[in-house]
Amino acid sequence: EGALLADIERAFPSLYQSYQWLLMEHYSLPPWLRIAIVRGFFSVHHCLEYYSHTHDLGIMYRGITQGNPLSALWFLLCVNLLVVRLSLSLQDTEAVRAFADDIYVRLTCVSRLIDILPVFLTYGYISGCYMNFLKTDLKCCGIWKSIVVQKTTRFEPSL
């Protein structure tokens, strides 16, 4: 047995707004709630006030703000699709758990990564939230320890 401890890279700022719209439709949210989410999370205008001068910093067209108290709840609903897709790819003795942008997947065999990693990649394509390979870890025990001898890192092509 072993476990994949995956981290989502820049999770909150990376969520595509188109993906969030699709989720609102999927969850059949009432119009008043959709409007509240759009006003709270979409096209947020950032500015800086300094000695009675206001400076525009830009408009956020991607992701959700982390300072909003409802951001964590909305993010969990957004990442729930990944957890469901992972759970459908698992065998009976395997499990998946999510803690905000950290995903834990218990696997029975290292070869099961072939079935699990494409789920992360597909989720990244549709949501904008990709796996952070530099912060993702593979924990091995039993026979896995003799198979996996070193931690893999991101492939950097040489020029």
Side-chain angles (χ1 to χ4, degrees):
E1 282 197 7
L4 177 69
L5 306 171
D7 179 73
I8 304 296
E9 188 170 12
R10 300 186 66 237
F12 280 75
S14 297
L15 272 173
Y16 292 146
Q17 290 182 358
S18 58
Y19 172 71
Q20 295 178 58
W21 273 111
L22 290 172
L23 281 182
M24 285 188 269
E25 290 176 21
H26 173 73
Y27 290 134
S28 301
L29 297 181
W32 65 267
L33 187 53
R34 290 183 193 192
I35 290 169
I37 290 171
V38 167
R39 287 185 180 164
F41 298 126
F42 288 21
S43 302
V44 176
H45 183 250
H46 295 275
C47 60
L48 175 68
E49 279 193 35
Y50 183 72
Y51 291 112
S52 72
H53 294 331
T54 302
H55 301 282
D56 288 331
L57 298 178
I59 298 176
M60 186 178 80
Y61 290 109
R62 185 174 175 182
I64 55 178
T65 56
Q66 295 184 21
N68 188 322
L70 296 176
S71 294
L73 175 62
W74 180 239
F75 180 79
L76 290 175
L77 290 172
C78 290
V79 82
N80 187 54
L81 178 63
L82 173 62
V83 175
V84 169
R85 287 292 299 130
L86 284 170
S87 66
L88 293 174
S89 301
L90 297 178
Q91 297 174 350
D92 291 340
T93 57
E94 298 173 328
V96 61
R97 298 291 182 265
F99 310 97
D101 65 338
D102 297 314
I103 311 292
Y104 165 83
V105 185
R106 188 182 72 228
L107 299 170
T108 55
C109 179
V110 71
S111 65
R112 297 280 298 127
L113 289 171
I114 294 170
D115 298 325
I116 300 304
L117 292 179
V119 175
F120 280 98
L121 185 62
T122 303
Y123 180 75
Y125 284 145
I126 64 170
S127 71
C129 293
Y130 289 91
M131 180 191 295
N132 184 350
F133 286 101
L134 295 177
K135 291 176 68 179
T136 295
D137 201 6
L138 187 62
K139 298 294 183 189
C140 306
C141 54
I143 195 165
W144 273 38
K145 271 195 175 179
S146 61
I147 295 172
V148 181
V149 290
Q150 66 182 20
K151 182 178 176 180
T152 58
T153 58
R154 185 175 293 199
F155 174 72
E156 299 286 340
S158 59
L159 299 175

